Amino acid sequence: MGILNSLLQAVTWWNGATLGTMLYTRRKGVKVGEDSQGNLFYHTADDSRRWVIFNGEAEASRVDADWHGWLHRTFNEVPSINPLPHKVWEKPHQENLTGTMMAYAPAGSIRAGGEPKNRSDYEAWSPE
C-alpha cells in the first residue's frame, strides 16, 4: 500500500501536495515553520509567495489563526518565531465538522435522533 499511497498523494490535490507543488517547493521553497497540526509553511526567497502543505486532507479550517494571518499577509512576523499573544477566553482551534457525523444538529432535527418535538410557536400553512 505504500506505493499506492505515494502515487495517490502525487496526483491528488486533497491528499497532501501534488507532484507539481512538491517540485516547486523543493526548487523555490524556504520552510518557515510548522503549526500544531503538522502543516508545513513555506515562502519563496523573496517572500513573493507563501503556501501551506497540509498534513493529510487539504482543509482550510485546519490552519491555525496565527498562520492564516501570516499566509494572507495580515502580519509579516512568522508565528513560530514571534507568536501572537492569546487571550484566556480563546478556545483551541477546532476543524470544520460540517458534513461529518460530529456536525452540530439542533434539538428537533432529524439527525439529532429521537422524536421531533412539538412546537407551539409554529403553525403549518394549509391552503383554503
Side-chain angles (χ1 to χ4, degrees):
M1 279 301 240
I3 295 172
L4 181 60
N5 285 340
S6 298
L7 180 63
L8 280 174
Q9 184 176 8
V11 296
T12 57
W13 59 266
W14 61 85
N15 188 18
T18 61
L19 182 60
T21 304
M22 287 188 289
L23 291 174
Y24 185 81
T25 302
R26 277 190 190 250
R27 281 189 58 224
K28 299 195 176 192
V30 176
K31 185 177 175 183
V32 176
E34 184 175 342
D35 68 359
S36 61
Q37 301 200 19
N39 301 324
L40 302 174
F41 295 87
Y42 294 89
H43 70 95
T44 55
D46 62 352
D47 200 25
S48 61
R49 293 189 66 182
R50 296 177 178 180
W51 67 95
V52 59
I53 298 199
F54 290 97
N55 179 21
E57 184 181 4
E59 171 62 42
S61 68
R62 292 183 54 225
V63 175
D64 293 341
D66 299 349
W67 285 103
H68 181 270
W70 178 81
L71 281 171
H72 294 277
R73 299 185 187 276
T74 303
F75 46 87
N76 287 322
E77 294 83 21
V78 178
S80 60
I81 296 171
N82 188 12
L84 293 174
H86 289 279
K87 312 281 190 289
V88 176
W89 52 266
E90 289 181 9
K91 292 183 178 181
H93 177 74
Q94 181 180 12
E95 67 180 280
N96 184 357
L97 299 175
T98 303
T100 67
M101 292 303 293
M102 299 298 294
Y104 173 72
S109 166
I110 295 172
R111 282 195 45 237
E115 293 292 319
K117 67 180 195 182
N118 292 329
R119 295 180 53 175
S120 60
D121 62 338
Y122 174 78
E123 183 178 324
W125 177 80
S126 59
E128 294 181 28

